[in-house]
Amino acid sequence: MQIFFPKEEAQEIRATILPEVAKKLVDLGIQVSVESGLGDKVFVSDDLYSTAGATICHDRAGGFKSADVVCKINKPTSDEIQLLTKDSIYISFLDPFNEKQIVTELASAGVSSISMELVPRITRAQKMDALSSQANLAGYAAVIEASRTLSKSFPMMMTAAGTISPARVFIVGVGVAGLQAIATAKRLGARVEAFDTRPVVEEQVRSLGAKFVKIDIGETEETDQGYAKELSDDQIKMQQEGMKKICSQSDVIITTAQVFGRPAPRIISQDMVEAMQPGSVVVDMAVSTGGNVEGSKNDEYVFHNGVTIIGMSNLPGEVAKDASQVFGSNIFNMIEEFWDSEKKSINFDLEDEILKGCVITHQGSIVNESVK
Ligand code: NAD
């Protein structure tokens, strides 16, 4: 069986796999082919992949055509789908609820596609959970970016020239990214407060030494996978009212609020941004799914009334080497889980809970119930 790792598009810094993980695939008995230059942006040369046992491919289209499995981080283009052979397997983030055309094209091409977003959140699949591995690093990167932009220090400093107060950081949405953002801001010495619609999070926030902001928004629900359900318009208004004062007092707000399969909730209104002190910073980590902050723009720094609103869509790319390391491990863990060492192929068992959750197309049809 041959796996091909093509290069990503120009704006992507991460590589799908690093040599030490590629070697683990080789050790399973898999022929690993990487496109020449795959690791360039994370300072990993073709030679290192070769030493790990991978073949360096200089013919991108040929790599797609001859592979049994193709892995990327980002969704495929239509041209790439045309190159895939019938019955081959394609793995990447696919954004299947929004990318209907890609899903249809993958089905028509007879490709078995796996969407990394839909790996179910069960214990056995944690090692394959690329949403979490990337969100964790994104939470870290968001705080580092905020601290670089803010014109004040995060920690309190008591000096002969006077006392510098700690930065006040407010984290909205405490899932994987939010928890890492809290931990990172605390490590930098900030005073951290956080809010999430799921009350179960309160204990986790406190255990990191941050304060949980209590806002009564009535009944909230979560899915069996631990994702928050959408709030009503009235509940969002109650949330905004409850957050107004704390937003106005914060030097940094980092929003991570997401509702799985839906646009991100719009939580921070223009009024709330305008109530912040000039020089404050807002990082909208949900910018690419619609944005939590009014006025945020994908891959832009927006300056509004003295406040910088940061909307970076690829925060894991700011720590690209680590992000590549953990993404590659997620891929390896998935392949190893279903690897049939006798047949030297992937056991594509659609009755398996993990594959049932994340396989989108198979044998010419859309097979995933939630995507269908
Ligand atoms: P996510 O990216 O879907 O959302 C981020 C956070 O935003 C969530 O905590 C959500 O509750 C919150 N949110 C949604 N609407 C909001 C609003 N209006 N205001 C404030 N916050 C709002 O979530 P995630 O980071 O992927 O994780 C969700 C949960 O799943 C977490 O508790 C996480 O620890 C858990 N998880 C479990 C597993 C597992 O294998 N069991 C794996 C990964 C994550």
Side-chain angles (χ1 to χ4, degrees):
M1 191 185 88
Q2 192 184 101
I3 304 189
F4 178 50
F5 293 93
K7 280 201 301 192
E8 296 288 323
E9 33 287 291
Q11 68 273 21
E12 181 59 79
I13 308 157
R14 295 169 291 175
T16 323
I17 197 161
L18 294 185
E20 68 184 61
V21 184
K23 182 171 184 316
K24 288 165 80 174
L25 288 172
V26 172
D27 290 346
L28 283 182
I30 296 172
Q31 292 170 37
V32 176
S33 165
V34 303
E35 185 177 353
S36 176
L38 177 73
D40 280 358
K41 291 183 205 156
V42 286
F43 309 101
V44 175
S45 66
D46 286 355
D47 283 354
L48 288 173
Y49 286 103
S50 283
T51 308
T55 308
I56 308 303
C57 172
H58 295 274
D59 167 17
R60 181 179 169 86
F64 272 90
K65 284 182 196 158
S66 57
D68 302 297
V69 181
V70 174
C71 289
K72 279 182 71 187
I73 297 173
N74 296 294
K75 54 201 164 201
T77 62
S78 292
D79 289 346
E80 288 171 349
I81 295 172
Q82 297 313 313
L83 294 171
L84 294 167
T85 53
K86 186 167 170 292
D87 296 330
S88 64
I89 299 173
Y90 177 86
I91 309 174
S92 75
F93 285 125
L94 282 174
D95 194 11
F97 298 120
N98 294 312
E99 296 292 349
K100 293 196 179 100
Q101 191 177 335
I102 288 178
V103 170
T104 311
E105 286 175 16
L106 284 164
S108 311
V111 172
S112 299
S113 59
I114 291 179
S115 168
M116 291 305 281
E117 293 96 331
L118 293 192
V119 168
R121 290 183 147 181
I122 56 172
T123 307
R124 188 163 64 95
Q126 272 181 350
K127 58 189 178 183
M128 311 168 201
D129 183 350
L131 269 188
S132 293
S133 74
Q134 303 302 296
N136 172 51
L137 288 167
Y140 164 82
V143 174
I144 299 303
E145 197 57 30
S147 71
R148 232 179 350 213
T149 310
L150 188 72
S151 56
K152 102 171 236 72
S153 82
F154 265 43
M156 181 174 91
M157 295 185 196
M158 293 171 90
T159 76
T163 301
I164 295 172
S165 60
R168 290 188 65 160
V169 176
F170 183 32
I171 312 285
V172 184
V174 190
V176 179
L179 280 175
Q180 185 55 255
I182 295 173
T184 306
K186 284 297 292 180
R187 282 185 206 118
L188 287 176
R191 190 175 143 187
V192 185
E193 290 160 290
F195 174 72
D196 195 295
T197 53
R198 293 177 303 122
V200 62
V201 165
E202 180 172 351
E203 191 47 44
Q204 297 166 16
V205 169
R206 284 223 228 98
S207 72
L208 288 169
K211 184 180 164 202
F212 186 78
V213 176
K214 290 201 183 210
I215 303 171
D216 184 5
I217 53 170
E219 282 289 297
T220 56
E221 287 178 272
E222 63 180 86
T223 68
D224 54 1
Q225 303 263 319
Y227 289 115
K229 288 204 177 160
E230 210 166 18
L231 298 185
S232 67
D233 290 348
D234 284 346
Q235 284 178 308
I236 291 278
K237 280 200 190 100
M238 287 155 86
Q239 179 180 354
Q240 287 175 322
E241 277 307 313
M243 284 178 22
K244 255 183 188 159
K245 186 162 176 228
I246 180 155
C247 285
S248 69
Q249 294 169 342
S250 300
D251 299 298
V252 172
I253 300 177
I254 297 178
T255 68
T256 79
Q258 304 268 9
V259 179
F260 193 73
R262 303 221 169 263
R266 182 57 57 90
I267 301 167
I268 309 283
S269 63
Q270 190 168 310
D271 289 358
M272 291 159 87
V273 172
E274 286 171 0
M276 295 177 80
Q277 290 299 313
S280 307
V281 177
V282 182
V283 183
D284 185 352
M285 290 188 65
V287 68
S288 52
T289 52
N292 294 143
V293 182
E294 191 170 355
S296 68
K297 292 205 175 113
N298 232 358
D299 296 323
E300 283 188 32
Y301 279 57
V302 174
F303 301 98
H304 184 78
N305 223 34
V307 177
T308 308
I309 304 170
I310 302 175
M312 292 163 75
S313 64
N314 187 0
L315 280 162
E318 296 299 302
V319 275
K321 195 158 186 183
D322 290 336
S324 307
Q325 166 72 31
V326 289
F327 188 88
S329 291
N330 295 141
I331 296 284
F332 169 77
N333 291 330
M334 174 173 280
I335 289 168
E336 188 194 35
E337 181 80 16
F338 298 104
W339 182 242
D340 185 325
S341 54
E342 275 171 26
K343 291 190 194 145
K344 295 259 178 254
S345 65
I346 291 176
N347 178 15
F348 219 78
D349 173 12
L350 283 182
E351 291 307 307
D352 181 278
E353 195 179 357
I354 296 175
L355 291 180
K356 202 187 247 178
C358 65
V359 172
I360 309 299
T361 60
H362 186 53
Q363 294 179 339
S365 316
I366 299 172
V367 291
N368 188 287
E369 285 306 323
S370 54
V371 174
K372 251 200 255 181

